[in-house]
Amino acid sequence: ELASSRTVVLNCMSLSSAQGVFAAVAAQLGLPGRAPARELARRLQQRLTAEGPMVLLVLDELDQLDSKGQDVLYTVFEWPWLPGSRLVLIGMANALDLTERGLARLQARPGCRPQLLPFAPYTREQLAAILQERLRQVAGDTVLDGSAVQFCARKVSAVSGDARKALDICRRAVELLERDARSQTLLKPLPPGE
């Protein structure tokens, strides 16, 4: 059953506006994307309720679709509940209260209420393990000292527990090390007699 399904994965951070989600999804589903957002939303609704394979739509950074009136989010969240819909929607957001805070109309319709799966922030130990595993994948000498990794994991777990933040800090530390190494002048031995 899943073998014939269509999967569309989209990072909403890459969109220039909330309405851009319609053009991006339309393009992934092979629909012409040159139309106003409202028209694209209508075409997508028709495609998703017509005969065909199931569509799994994964929207990462879903909170980026936050807009005035929440029309874009309402449209996307209502697609799976349309009669004959073939859409399964998975949205990932940093805002745990996104659907309660900004989408009251969904809460009023019990059938449209999204199922939430909150993920707890990573602990210091988990972050350290993630960082160490990523660093093991780097060939060559040890890039960051173990105490630096532990320090980073401790700080990030105290603030957010976000593995992306910890990885970004390590990436920037490595970039600074590389820049410093490139800027150092290597002294060459003088030829004999000079």
Side-chain angles (χ1 to χ4, degrees):
E1 188 177 333
L2 291 176
S4 65
S5 69
R6 183 77 191 266
T7 301
V8 176
V9 179
L10 183 64
N11 186 329
C12 297
M13 290 281 284
S14 66
L15 303 172
S16 59
S17 70
Q19 288 80 15
V21 72
F22 301 128
V25 173
Q28 292 277 334
L29 293 177
L31 292 173
R34 297 276 188 204
R38 230 178 252 255
E39 175 62 20
L40 285 173
R42 189 186 64 71
R43 287 182 196 168
L44 283 165
Q45 180 174 326
Q46 288 175 336
R47 170 66 66 92
L48 295 170
T49 56
E51 285 291 318
M54 292 295 297
V55 176
L56 173 63
L57 176 57
V58 181
L59 297 175
D60 193 10
E61 304 292 349
L62 182 68
D63 37 351
Q64 297 300 308
L65 299 183
D66 204 3
S67 63
K68 187 176 183 179
Q70 304 297 26
D71 55 323
V72 173
L73 280 171
Y74 276 122
T75 299
V76 171
F77 272 102
E78 288 171 353
W79 281 341
W81 304 104
L82 295 170
S85 178
R86 301 176 289 111
L87 179 74
V88 175
L89 174 65
I90 297 176
M92 294 173 273
N94 292 323
L96 292 175
D97 62 345
L98 176 69
T99 56
E100 290 98 24
R101 173 181 42 87
L103 302 170
R105 215 166 64 201
L106 292 178
Q107 299 304 318
R109 295 174 58 193
C112 287
R113 196 172 295 150
Q115 180 180 358
L116 300 180
L117 299 169
F119 291 90
Y122 286 107
T123 65
R124 177 181 54 81
E125 294 82 11
Q126 290 169 323
L127 286 171
I130 290 168
L131 294 173
Q132 288 165 345
E133 178 58 32
R134 286 289 179 96
L135 289 168
R136 270 194 286 277
Q137 295 172 6
V138 177
D141 295 336
T142 302
V143 179
L144 291 176
D145 185 62
S147 59
V149 170
Q150 291 297 325
F151 180 76
C152 177
R154 188 170 52 253
K155 291 296 184 182
V156 171
S157 69
V159 174
S160 67
D162 187 339
R164 294 171 299 182
K165 297 276 187 210
L167 290 166
D168 189 49
I169 290 168
C170 289
R171 179 189 53 80
R172 285 189 284 166
V174 169
E175 287 172 355
L176 288 172
L177 288 170
E178 286 176 339
R179 190 189 72 204
D180 288 349
R182 272 189 242 118
S183 68
Q184 291 179 359
T185 306
L186 293 176
L187 297 177
K188 295 180 183 175
L190 292 173
E194 287 188 33

